[in-house]
């Protein structure tokens, strides 16, 4: 029987009242109270708290506010697409103190790996007797998304069952206080839904475990294995709940709600999103569209699989998005969370003490799934309006508070490694020139806080001629100041931006014979990787879709109003990433084929008209549909075109591109030599942690002069034990005539005893020394021990 635990409820209200009365600031009071928000299992009692200032604004009396508990009458399945479920509905009175509402409840069923728990929300009646819900933004489990009631979940039980306790025991050994985790040697960034054919966190965890078993068996890894190996850390694109379908259907739809019962239509969440379109609500939970079982335990399982890897623990880095909310967030949270619109949707009200405290609590709970690092998206977006000075300020104090959070996992207290993406003054027009990429690292108190460096942030196009010399001034900054930067050209943003560049620009055709080959080689360039791993300080990061030479783009299928415009903006990626053969494969673009685009040529012709009409009509969909219908000869597709047809095409484009970007479709095409070289390069860097440091007085870096039509970088670095690393890399341009790399006029190169350690493909093992012709993407890496170093 579900009933109110009166004394426990009174204790919760009293604790909140004490915090409000005795904490020195409103923010400190809110932080103390925020730890009690959401749902917590305390033995047989469920303690549940909400922040609901809208109830005060509307002057809702206590008698019109209740905790709604929905208990499914029969076992609820989370692995079916659609179902109707009957719930027993119980309304429990709540205790209130100002905007805070609490209830302690006996008899609620807690969810676990094998059991779906009761669902809950705060409900209130308006002046006309209509009931409205306040959803829990701090929910631990949201099987039907952030716009549905939350599941009461046994988080403590989930943590107790994790299989990486030994990892945390070793971490805290000898520590007097919270352990501060430092940087990884390198990072693999990946998007969970396109990293495996299963498209879930569970399938990704199984993949890690399978890789571990193959490594333990001692066999030679295949190319498909190598792209995942040799990394110290895996960084997931955001795994928080994202937006839902603007035009429906909802994943939770009330059919009939009465005093003691509720009938609900449930749909299994199936949105596809790259992860950055968050609504803030539910950030402490896991996006249910990424869960095979619907259980948040899958994220714990992935962390444990990485921590238990047989060659040594791998760090898990979570990418968190707290700088902005999609406009759908307005429907999930009360208005006090927001500070007005921005280019993404909504700014957040960081100066509101309760909002500030709740956001930090969301972060703390999310990282407690077992992350070792946190990458903060768009840190330049954390801003507040200074009414005294009449200026918009960056909230660096809040960024410091994010870094100061202490995690508590498996009995171990620790502070994770922090990474910030901050390109301020981006998006101002001169950001490429004026951004220092050091705004956060310079302001934070810890010396191991990292930022994305200038070749990692936003717009990088290494497939255009003169890219590397145009960026040389930034390369010098990386060499001299980059030891706390993430380096590398390929990530979720740069590769996406690359597919949006006009194919009429000055493309480096020496990279390949087709646009697809050029794009693949530009972002998986052996010479550029040698530059990153053998010369640059900081921490190198690779993007899985780039190293797998898989497609990538802006993936989001929830749009209704702007979906056609998004598809039009992405249309150019058809030129960069899809050829006739790829389109013709039975598994490729099946939705668009069903709509009448049987060939790539037919789709390309339609996509050539669509962007032009979007611009010329200022996105007037009825006019666009009419004009497309009148094209002669007729376009392929669901003719005659109308607005619903255009929206179906846009949705099919997004869903088909999501499938087309799945790495599993590219594994058979991976090269033996390329993947072996890249893995060897990563292992080389991991064995030399001193390369993370900035160039010292005894190091040298330059490009070969005169250029004579080619960009050839030369790097000589010296380690603390006397080891020297010398690399020569051809980044772009004409072939470099035959020369001896060891006869270059590089200070300190003389003295002999250099050993050729790594050669980029297609340089074969038959080359040991002497003259060689280097072409675009080729490089050589030498090492010399301290005893052989020259003067």
């Amino acid at each position: 029987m579900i009933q109110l635990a009166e004394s426990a409820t009174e204790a919760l209200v009293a604790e909140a009242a004490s915090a409000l009365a005795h904490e020195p600031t409103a923010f400190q009071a809110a932080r103390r109270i925020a730890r009690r928000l959401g749902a917590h299992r305390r033995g047989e009692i469920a303690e549940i708290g909400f922040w609901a200032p809208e109830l005060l604004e509307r002057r809702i009396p206590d008698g019109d506010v209740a905790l709604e508990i929905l208990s499914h009458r029969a076992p609820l399945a989370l692995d079916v697409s659609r179902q109707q479920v009957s719930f027993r509905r119980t309304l429990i009175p709540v205790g209130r103190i100002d905007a805070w509402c609490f209830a302690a409840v006996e008899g609620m069923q807690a969810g676990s790996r094998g059991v779906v728990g009761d669902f809950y929300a705060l409900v209130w009646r308006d002046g006309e007797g209509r009931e409205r819900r306040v959803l829990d933004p701090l929910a631990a489990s949201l099987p039907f998304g952030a716009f549905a009631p939350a599941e009461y979940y046994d988080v403590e039980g989930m943590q107790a069952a994790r299989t990486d306790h030994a990892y945390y025991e070793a971490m805290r050994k000898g520590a007097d206080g919270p352990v501060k985790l430092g940087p990884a040697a390198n990072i693999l960034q990946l998007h969970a839904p396109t990293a495996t054919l299963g498209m879930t966190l569970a399938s990704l965890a199984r993949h890690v475990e399978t890789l571990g078993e193959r490594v333990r068996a001692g066999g030679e890894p295949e190319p498909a294995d190598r792209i995942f190996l040799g990394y110290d850390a895996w960084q997931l694109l955001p795994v928080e709940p994202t937006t839902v379908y603007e035009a429906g259907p909802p994943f939770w739809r009330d059919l009939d709600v009465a005093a003691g019962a509720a009938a609900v239509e449930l749909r299994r969440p199936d949105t596809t999103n790259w992860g950055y379109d968050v609504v803030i609500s539910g950030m402490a939970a896991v996006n249910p569209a990424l869960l095979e079982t619907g259980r948040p335990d899958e994220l714990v399982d992935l962390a444990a699989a990485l921590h238990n890897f047989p060659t040594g623990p791998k760090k898990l880095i979570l990418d968190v998005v707290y700088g902005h909310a999609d406009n759908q967030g307005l429907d999930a949270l009360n208005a006090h969370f927001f500070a007005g619109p921005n280019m993404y949707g909504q700014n957040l009200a960081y100066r509101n003490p309760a909002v500030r405290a709740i956001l930090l609590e969301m972060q703390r709970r999310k990282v407690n799934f077992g992350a070792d690092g946190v990458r903060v998206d768009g840190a330049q977006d954390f801003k507040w309006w200074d009414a005294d000075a009449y200026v918009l300020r960056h909230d660096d104090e809040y960024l410091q508070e994010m870094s100061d959070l202490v995690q508590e996992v498996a009995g171990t207290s620790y502070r994770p490694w922090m990474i910030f993406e901050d390109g301020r003054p981006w998006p101002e027009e001169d950001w490429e020139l004026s951004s220092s990429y050091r705004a956060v690292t310079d302001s934070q108190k810890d010396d191991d806080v990292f930022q994305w460096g200038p070749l990692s942030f936003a717009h990088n196009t290494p497939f255009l001629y003169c890219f590397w010399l145009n960026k040389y001034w930034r390369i010098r900054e990386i060499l001299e100041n980059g030891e706390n930067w993430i380096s590398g050209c390929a990530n979720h943003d740069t590769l996406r931006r690359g597919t949006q560049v006009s194919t009429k620009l000055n493309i480096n055709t020496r990279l390949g014979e087709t646009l697809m080959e050029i794009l693949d080689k530009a972002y998986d360039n052996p010479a550029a990787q040698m530059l990153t791993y053998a010369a640059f300080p900081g921490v190198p990061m690779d993007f899985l879709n780039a190293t797998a030479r898989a497609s990538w783009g802006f993936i989001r299928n929830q749009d209704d109003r702007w979906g056609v415009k998004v598809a039009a903006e992405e249309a150019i990626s058809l030129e960069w990433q899809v050829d006739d053969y790829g389109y013709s494969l039975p598994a490729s673009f099946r939705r668009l084929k069903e709509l009448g685009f049987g060939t790539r040529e037919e789709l390309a012709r339609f996509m050539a008209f669509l962007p032009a009409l979007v611009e010329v009509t200022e996105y007037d969909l009825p006019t666009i549909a009419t004009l497309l219908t009148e094209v002669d000869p007729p376009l392929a597709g669901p003719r005659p075109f109308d607005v619903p047809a255009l929206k179906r095409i846009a949705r099919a484009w997004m869903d088909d591109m999501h499938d087309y970007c799945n790495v599993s479709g590219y594994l058979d095409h991976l090269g033996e030599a390329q993947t072996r070289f890249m893995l060897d390069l990563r292992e080389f860097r991991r064995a030399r942690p001193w390369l993370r440091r900035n160039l010292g007085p005894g190091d040298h870096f330059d490009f070969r002069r005169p250029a004579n039509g080619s960009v050839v970088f030369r790097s000589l670095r010296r380690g603390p034990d006397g080891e020297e690393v010398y690399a020569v890399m051809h980044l772009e341009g004409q072939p470099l005539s035959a020369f001896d790399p060891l006869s270059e006029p590089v200070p300190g190169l003389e003295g002999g005893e250099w050993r050729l350690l790594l050669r980029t493909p297609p340089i074969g093992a038959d080359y040991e020394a002497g003259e060689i012709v280097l072409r675009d993407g080729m490089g050589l890496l030498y090492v010399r021990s301290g005893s052989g170093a020259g003067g």
Side-chain angles (χ1 to χ4, degrees):
M1 178 179 177
I2 294 176
Q3 60 185 3
L4 179 71
E6 294 187 14
S7 60
T9 300
E10 291 170 359
L12 288 171
V13 175
E15 181 181 346
S18 174
L20 294 170
H22 300 297
E23 292 295 335
T25 67
F27 173 56
Q28 289 171 288
R31 290 200 73 174
R32 179 175 156 189
I33 297 171
R35 294 291 291 261
R36 310 310 294 268
L37 298 182
H40 305 270
R41 184 178 182 182
R42 311 292 186 205
E44 298 303 313
I45 292 178
E47 297 180 350
I48 302 175
F50 286 84
W51 179 59
E54 62 267 45
L55 302 184
L56 294 181
E57 293 174 330
R58 292 174 171 83
R59 303 174 69 179
I60 306 300
D62 290 353
D64 286 333
V65 182
L67 178 69
E68 176 188 40
I69 301 171
L70 299 164
S71 308
H72 37 95
R73 298 181 185 276
L76 195 157
L78 298 179
D79 58 355
V80 297
S81 299
R82 184 177 178 182
Q83 59 188 312
Q84 289 190 11
V85 177
S86 175
F87 289 97
R88 183 175 66 253
R89 184 171 185 256
T90 306
L91 296 180
I92 299 291
V94 301
R96 297 170 65 186
I97 175 72
D98 291 338
W100 312 94
C101 304
F102 296 95
V105 184
E106 297 175 339
M108 282 185 71
Q109 173 66 59
S112 64
R113 188 184 291 270
V115 175
V116 179
D118 290 340
F119 292 80
Y120 67 93
L122 194 68
V123 296
W124 56 277
R125 283 190 295 269
D126 61 20
E128 298 179 1
R130 293 174 299 189
E131 286 189 352
R132 303 189 183 187
R133 281 194 179 113
V134 177
L135 302 173
D136 183 7
L138 281 159
S141 177
L142 291 165
F144 301 99
F147 296 88
E151 179 190 9
Y152 170 46
Y153 207 77
D154 183 4
V155 174
E156 291 75 14
M158 176 180 70
Q159 292 283 10
R162 63 186 310 138
T163 60
D164 54 357
H165 282 262
Y167 170 76
Y168 288 99
E169 290 172 6
M171 182 191 298
R172 69 173 178 267
K173 188 175 182 180
D176 294 329
V179 179
K180 180 67 179 75
L181 302 187
N186 58 5
I187 302 171
L188 174 66
Q189 186 194 37
L190 52 87
H191 177 241
T194 56
T196 65
L197 186 60
M199 299 187 292
T200 64
L201 293 173
S203 63
L204 188 57
R206 286 194 298 271
H207 188 64
V208 175
E209 291 168 351
T210 300
L211 282 173
E213 289 302 318
R214 290 177 181 170
V215 169
R216 189 177 284 111
E220 174 66 26
E222 298 179 352
D225 296 333
R226 292 190 195 117
I227 60 174
F228 291 94
L229 297 173
Y231 294 100
D232 266 6
W234 284 24
Q235 178 180 310
L236 303 182
L237 268 67
V239 296
E240 287 76 32
T242 61
T243 54
V244 295
Y245 299 121
E246 287 181 345
F251 301 137
W252 176 293
R253 183 166 72 93
D254 292 319
L255 301 175
D256 184 27
V257 178
V264 180
E265 180 184 68
L266 299 176
R267 293 175 184 263
R268 180 178 171 86
D270 60 353
T271 52
T272 56
N273 197 285
W274 65 334
Y276 294 95
D277 300 303
V278 299
V279 295
I280 298 300
S281 185
M283 295 288 275
V286 182
N287 183 353
L290 305 183
L291 299 175
E292 181 179 296
T293 62
R295 308 288 76 196
D297 304 65
E298 291 183 27
L299 184 54
V300 171
D301 293 345
L302 176 58
L306 291 170
H307 293 158
N308 295 333
F309 203 76
T311 56
K314 297 181 184 295
K315 288 180 166 68
L316 172 65
I317 301 171
L318 294 182
D319 191 340
V320 298
V321 188
Y322 289 100
H324 55 82
D326 185 273
N327 282 324
Q328 286 191 24
L330 296 168
D331 298 322
L333 298 167
N334 68 67
H336 293 265
F337 275 93
F338 305 104
N342 64 19
M343 63 188 297
Y344 304 110
Q346 295 293 319
N347 291 305
L348 297 177
Y350 303 103
R351 307 302 282 183
N352 182 307
V355 172
R356 197 177 187 88
I358 289 171
L359 293 175
L360 289 170
E361 181 63 12
M362 285 179 178
Q363 176 190 328
R364 188 188 70 83
R365 296 187 193 184
K366 187 55 167 284
V367 180
N368 272 358
F369 274 93
D372 307 277
V374 177
R375 184 261 185 183
V376 180
D377 179 71
Q380 71 275 345
D381 298 325
F382 293 74
K383 300 175 183 177
W384 60 281
W385 182 253
D386 186 337
D388 291 331
Y390 210 69
V391 295
L392 195 64
R393 298 195 184 279
H394 290 278
D395 202 340
D396 289 319
E397 181 183 352
Y398 180 79
L399 300 182
Q400 182 66 61
E401 288 163 352
M402 295 181 83
S403 294
D404 290 342
L405 280 177
V406 175
Q407 307 303 140
E408 301 155 7
V409 181
T412 298
S413 297
Y414 68 95
R415 291 172 55 215
W417 176 36
M418 297 298 296
I419 306 167
F420 293 86
E421 180 201 35
D422 192 307
R424 68 183 80 168
W426 189 88
E428 292 181 14
E429 292 183 358
D430 69 339
W431 68 269
E432 287 188 277
L433 175 65
S434 55
S435 177
S436 71
Y437 300 99
R438 295 193 296 273
V440 182
T441 55
D442 287 349
S443 68
Q444 295 239 337
K445 64 185 181 184
D446 292 323
D447 60 6
D448 58 358
V449 171
F450 271 60
Q451 282 191 232
W452 276 29
L455 290 188
S456 299
F457 186 85
H459 311 270
N460 280 297
T461 52
F463 51 84
L464 298 180
Y465 275 121
C466 296
F467 171 82
W468 292 101
L469 281 189
N470 287 338
K471 290 286 186 178
Y472 187 72
W473 67 286
R474 284 298 194 187
I475 289 172
R476 291 302 317 182
E477 288 189 339
I478 293 172
L479 295 165
E480 296 161 8
N481 304 287
E483 64 183 35
N484 281 53
W485 277 347
I486 304 298
S487 59
C489 273
N491 58 65
H492 73 280
D493 243 348
T494 55
L495 186 52
R496 174 179 73 101
R497 295 293 188 186
T499 66
Q500 296 176 330
V501 170
S502 171
T503 57
K504 295 180 175 60
L505 295 180
N506 197 17
I507 306 298
N508 182 358
T509 53
R510 288 191 173 88
L511 287 171
E513 295 182 1
T514 68
L515 288 174
M516 290 177 65
E517 290 178 7
I518 291 169
L519 192 72
D520 288 343
K521 184 70 172 291
Y523 289 105
D524 187 35
N525 187 321
Q529 290 291 79
M530 185 176 285
L531 173 68
T532 301
Y533 277 82
F536 283 174
V539 172
M541 183 177 73
D542 300 331
F543 182 42
L544 178 63
N545 286 65
T547 57
R549 300 200 170 182
S551 295
W552 178 250
F554 182 58
I555 299 171
R556 182 177 74 189
N557 69 356
Q558 295 97 310
D559 294 286
D560 180 68
R561 180 181 178 188
W562 299 109
V564 177
K565 187 173 187 293
V566 171
E569 292 171 348
E570 293 292 305
I572 193 172
S573 67
L574 188 65
E575 298 182 52
W576 282 108
Q577 301 193 96
V578 186
D579 59 12
D580 291 337
Y581 174 76
Y583 192 89
S584 71
L585 295 173
S588 298
F589 299 93
R590 55 185 178 82
R591 300 170 186 85
L592 285 165
K593 290 173 182 174
E594 290 170 0
L595 290 174
F597 301 104
T599 67
R600 181 195 176 281
E601 182 181 359
E602 290 174 334
L603 178 61
R605 185 164 177 256
F606 175 87
M607 287 299 194
F609 280 94
L610 184 62
L613 293 178
V614 165
E615 181 177 358
V616 126
T617 66
E618 297 183 346
Y619 197 53
D620 183 337
L621 286 178
T623 301
I624 293 171
T626 299
L627 293 174
L628 288 171
T629 302
E630 294 175 354
V631 170
D632 188 33
L635 295 169
R639 304 179 75 256
F641 297 107
D642 56 17
V643 172
L646 295 182
K647 291 182 177 181
R648 288 198 302 274
I649 293 169
R651 169 70 182 275
W653 166 264
M654 286 297 180
D655 286 334
D656 281 344
M657 279 303 295
H658 177 267
D659 293 347
Y660 189 68
C661 291
N662 195 289
V663 168
S664 65
Y666 299 82
L667 300 180
D668 292 343
H669 306 294
L670 292 174
E672 176 73 24
Q674 175 77 0
T675 57
R676 183 186 298 275
F677 165 75
M678 291 297 191
L679 177 56
D680 288 345
L681 187 62
R682 293 192 291 271
E683 296 292 2
F684 165 84
R685 176 67 173 237
R686 291 179 67 224
R688 293 163 177 81
W690 58 268
L691 283 171
R692 203 211 102 189
R693 298 302 174 186
N694 294 332
L695 264 67
D699 297 332
H700 177 81
F701 187 95
D702 68 357
F703 65 91
R704 206 169 189 266
R705 297 179 175 88
N708 289 333
S710 58
V711 179
V712 177
F713 290 141
R714 302 174 299 198
S715 171
L716 177 61
R717 300 201 57 185
R718 292 184 168 94
D721 59 354
E723 184 186 35
E724 295 177 289
V725 173
Y726 170 59
V728 55
M729 302 142 287
H730 189 305
L731 270 298
E732 65 173 276
Q734 300 176 7
L736 183 62
S737 301
F739 78 114
D740 183 352
L742 292 177
S743 297
E744 289 289 280
V746 174
L749 188 62
E750 64 278 357
E753 298 189 26
W754 286 102
R755 177 168 59 95
L756 180 57
L757 187 65
L758 293 176
R759 314 162 182 84
T760 63
I763 304 172
D766 56 332
Y767 175 79
E768 291 290 346
E771 291 193 339
I772 187 172
V773 175
L774 287 186
R775 293 179 172 84
D776 204 329
M778 295 169 63
L780 299 163
L781 190 154
Y782 302 82
V783 295
R784 180 167 64 182
S785 65
S787 59

